[in-house]
Amino acid sequence: MDIKFNKNEDSMRLMISEMNQKLEKIYLGGGQKKIDKTHAQDKMTARERIDYLIDDKSDFLEIGAFVGDGMYKEYGGCPSGGVVIGLGYVKGRECVIVANDATVKAGAWFPITGKKNLRAQEIAMENHLPIIYLVDSAGIFLPLQADIFADKEHFGRIFRNNAKMSAMGITQISAVMGNCVAGGAYLPIMSDEALIVNKTGTIFLAGSYLVKSAIGEDVDNETLGGATTHTEISGVLDYKVENDEEALDTIKSLISKIGEPQTAGFNRIEPAKPKLDEKEIYGIVPEKRDTPFDMKEVILRLVDNSEFDEYKAGYGKTMVCGYARIDGWSVGIVANQRKIVKTKTNEMQFGGVIYTDSADKAAHFIMNCNQKRIPLLFMHDVTGFMVGSRSEHAGIIKDGAKMVNAMANSIVPKFSVVVGNSYGAGNYAMCGKAYDPQLMLAWPTAQIAVMSGKSASKTILQIQLATMKAKGEVISQEEQDRLAKEIEDEYTAKTSPYYAASQLWIDAIIDPLETRKAISMGIEAANHNPERKDYKLGVIRA
C-alpha cells in the first residue's frame, strides 16, 4: 500500500472513531444519573428495551441517532430527539421500533421528536412493516408547543398515520411503559393492540393536577389512568403486565403470530461476501474531498463476490452504472466517478461532475432497473452538473431533467449513500432526501450543501464587497481575508454529515463497513410491500 492509501486509511479511521465517541455520549440520553434513576424505578432505558425486544445476535439499524445534535441548547439539549427508532427483527420478522427515551426531558416531544416519529411511521407505511411503540413520554414540550402542535407535519399527523396504517393492514402494537398523557394517549389507543405495565404505566388525557384545576376532582394518577383502571374498568387497554420484561415478551409473542407477508418479489440468491477486502475502502476514499479516486474500486469492495456488470462503461464516464448483488439482493448502482476522465475525442472531464452524456446514461439505466424491478442504489460524490457554454449548447439542462424525471418517477426502492460530496442539483439528481429514498445514509466523509464552503464563501464575500462598494465603503485585504475565513467556517459547519443528521436530512451516519447490512435490511423491508405501480414517466425533452 502507498503513503496516500495509508493517510486516507488513518483519516477514515479517525473520523469513525470520532463518530463512535459522539454516539457513546448520545447513547447516555439524559445522562448517567437519569439512567440510574430509571433503573431504580425497575424500568429499562429505551435502548435496553429495544435490545431485549429484538432477536438475539440480530441486526438493529438505528435511524436518526444524531437527530437533535447541537439543537435546543437553551433547554439542555435533546439527544436523539428524545426517541430511539430503527429497523430490527422480532421473532424473525422485520419491524419498525419506536421507543421514547424518558431520560431526556421525561420523553417529552420537541419539534424534532415529532419529525423523527413521522419518519418512523413513513418507513413502516412505505414498506408495510409492523411497527412497535414503546411509550414513555410526558407529551409535548410546552415551551416549544407552537413549533410542534398545529401544522400538517406536526404532532397530530402521528395519529392520522395511525389511522391510515390501520386501514392499510399494517400491524401496530403499543406498550405503555411509563407516562402517556394528553394527546399522546391516542397513539396506543389507535394501535391494534396495547399493553400497560402495572404500577409504572399511566395513560390519561389529563393528569391529577390538571383534573383538580379543571373540574375540582381529587384523584391520584393510578386511579385515574393506571393499569387496573384501563384493563379492568375502562377496557381501553388489552393486556396488563407486571414489568418491562413481561411487556416485551408479550410483544414478541404477538408478533410471532402475524401471518406471513406478501412480497414484491425482488430477486435474492445466497449472499456472498466481497472477494476484495472491504476494509480497503478506508484507504481508497481520499482524506480531502477534492481529490480524485476510482469509485469502481469502492463498489467492488461492497458487492457480492466483487462482481459488477458495468453498463455503458465507455460512455458518460463521470457516472458509473451497473448491476451487482448486495447480501444476495439484486441491485442497480448509480455512482458518481471522481476520477478525471478522457472522452474518445480526448476531451477532459472533471470527476464528480455530471455531464450531458453521464446524465443521459444514468437516465437510461434507471429506466432499465424499473423495467426489471431491480432496486436502485445511488452513491453520491457529486459537485453538480457541468456549467459553461459548451454544456449549455449540448443541452445539459435537458439531459439533467431527463435523469431527474427517470429517478423521481421510479417505482422500485431507492437507496442513497453519500460517500463524499453531495452538492447542488447533483444531490437532487442522485436521489437526495426530496426524492423519497427508502433510506438516506452517509459516511463520515460526506458533505451536503448547495456548494463547497470555499466556493460559497467566495460568492458570499463578492456580494458583500459589492454592497459595501456601492455604499462607498472600502476594506483592507486583511479584513477581506478575515471575512472570507469567517464565512467559510460558518458555511462549512453546516455541510457536515452531523448537521445533516441532526436535521434528519439523512437517516444515519454509518461506518462504510456497515453499508452492506443497511442496504440489505432496507431492501428486505421494501420487499414486504407488493403494491408497486407501473413505471410511468412524464414528458421528457428529446
Side-chain angles (χ1 to χ4, degrees), residues 41-59:
Q41 296 170 336
D42 292 326
K43 292 168 61 177
M44 298 179 183
T45 64
R47 285 190 169 82
E48 288 168 345
R49 287 167 174 168
I50 291 173
D51 287 343
Y52 187 96
L53 179 64
I54 63 175
D55 298 341
D56 289 342
K57 298 179 181 178
S58 68
D59 291 320

Side-chain angles (χ1 to χ4, degrees), residues 248-386:
L248 299 169
D249 286 336
T250 302
I251 292 172
K252 292 180 188 183
S253 182
L254 294 173
I255 290 291
S256 73
K257 297 175 179 65
I258 299 174
E260 287 299 312
Q262 293 179 285
T263 70
F266 299 127
N267 185 274
R268 191 183 198 187
I269 62 173
E270 187 69 27
K273 291 186 176 181
K275 285 183 178 177
L276 298 176
D277 188 355
E278 288 180 76
K279 292 180 181 177
E280 290 178 353
I281 291 171
Y282 290 177
I284 294 170
V285 177
E287 178 183 9
K288 296 181 179 178
R289 296 286 6 102
D290 56 355
T291 303
F293 70 99
D294 191 348
M295 182 65 88
K296 282 189 271 191
E297 293 299 323
V298 173
I299 292 170
L300 291 174
R301 286 159 178 80
L302 286 176
V303 299
D304 292 14
N305 289 317
S306 298
E307 293 175 352
F308 180 61
D309 300 322
E310 189 172 358
Y311 174 79
K312 288 192 176 186
Y315 178 73
K317 292 183 179 180
T318 64
M319 191 75 76
V320 177
C321 300
Y323 303 103
R325 290 188 182 274
I326 290 180
D327 199 35
W329 294 103
S330 172
V331 295
I333 298 175
V334 179
N336 305 113
Q337 176 60 286
R338 286 290 298 182
K339 283 174 64 179
I340 297 173
V341 299
K342 261 186 186 179
T343 66
K344 284 187 176 180
T345 58
N346 282 325
E347 178 191 353
M348 300 299 291
Q349 291 189 339
F350 297 104
V353 178
I354 303 176
Y355 288 79
T356 54
D357 54 357
S358 47
D360 178 64
K361 175 171 89 171
H364 197 178
F365 180 73
I366 290 166
M367 293 179 209
N368 281 342
C369 288
N370 276 276
Q371 190 80 359
K372 298 174 183 178
R373 296 294 197 270
I374 298 174
L376 283 159
L377 169 59
F378 294 85
M379 297 181 68
H380 299 221
D381 196 353
V382 59
T383 53
F385 286 87
M386 191 59 191

Side-chain angles (χ1 to χ4, degrees), residues 176-181 196-197 200-204 221-222 225-227 230:
V176 180
M177 307 177 82
N179 291 318
C180 184
V181 301
I196 186 168
V197 179
T200 301
T202 53
I203 177 169
F204 34 63
N221 282 341
E222 188 64 30
H230 283 312

Side-chain angles (χ1 to χ4, degrees), residues 388-410:
S389 60
R390 180 178 291 184
S391 288
E392 296 295 355
H393 294 172
I396 184 65
I397 298 175
K398 167 176 61 69
D399 287 316
K402 184 192 302 181
M403 180 180 172
V404 171
N405 201 324
M407 178 273 300
N409 283 296
S410 288

Side-chain angles (χ1 to χ4, degrees), residues 68 148 463:
I148 188 176
I463 294 169

Side-chain angles (χ1 to χ4, degrees), residues 158-177:
I158 302 288
F159 316 125
R160 174 264 188 194
N161 286 349
N162 288 141
K164 290 289 185 181
M165 281 191 280
S166 183
M168 293 167 68
I170 295 172
T171 297
Q172 301 176 80
I173 298 174
S174 291
V176 180
M177 307 177 82

